[in-house]
Amino acid sequence: MRRLFVAGNWKMNTLAKSGVALASGLAAELPASHPGVQVAVCPPFPYLSAVGQAVAGSGVELGAQNASQEKPGAFTGEIGVDMLVDVGCQWVILGHSERRAIYGETDELISKKTAAALAGGLSVMLCVGESRTEREGGQTEIVLDRQMAGSLSGIDAEGMKRVVIAYEPVWAIGTGLTATTEQAECAHRHLRNWLSTRYNSPLAEATRILYGGSVKPQNARSLMEQPNVDGALVGGASLKLEDFLPIVRAAQSLRPV
Ligand code: PEP
């Protein structure tokens, strides 16, 4: 049985004080690693160190929200993989729809970032997902196939051991609209079949596929109950302990120790 994974994407939110308070509160509630449920938080870059210190030794891991594909050098404003490892990150979110839509990140760039992150020792949460227009036009699976093929271009089966896929329908991110459990399960099954065809069946069975898009305490359990939903990437609801913790607890209730 795959270990569930609940990750919080704080996006461009919190300041040092509120971020550390949130992380400390979470670490106090999750003092040790849980065998059935992995948990991570992904704060903004300036707070990675402080949040990393707040969760050190607890059951909460640290991730970043983006990374450069480049090695250290003249890339003003960029953050390299080595720096993220240096401040204690185990994870990086890549290919988030906000990076794709607002900052023009292409599948080709995302595949370079994925390769760089894996080579540097990070694990990757790779986001894919269709827009509302694409879903309404019956293009969901075509879009997912294209994003998976492009973003994982050049990533071999060994590298995939440190990749988690996050299915995040763009129309559900930050909108309050959540995919139905059937819509989520159907997309996740499709992604797992894609992994089986592109790689192999054991790899597809082992790879975790998270759902993201307006996950809340009220819908988390029913989504994570689906056979192909292996956890949640949580945006807005990860910013309050009283919302994020029940999502983690819902996951733990599905993997009792
Ligand atoms: C996200 O941005 O990854 C996300 C899922 O956001 P929200 O939970 O706010 O929809």
Side-chain angles (χ1 to χ4, degrees), residues 58-90:
S58 76
V60 183
E61 299 178 10
L62 186 69
Q65 301 171 20
N66 186 23
S68 171
Q69 72 282 11
E70 301 291 351
K71 296 220 172 354
F75 300 100
T76 302
E78 290 292 292
I79 307 284
V81 169
D82 293 354
M83 299 170 187
L84 299 179
V85 173
D86 194 35
V87 295
C89 289
Q90 294 106 312

Side-chain angles (χ1 to χ4, degrees), residues 6-30:
V6 179
N9 173 13
W10 293 2
K11 311 194 188 194
M12 199 173 78
N13 292 297
T14 72
L15 292 172
K17 200 171 164 193
S18 54
V20 168
L22 177 57
S24 303
L26 195 58
E29 292 287 346
L30 306 170

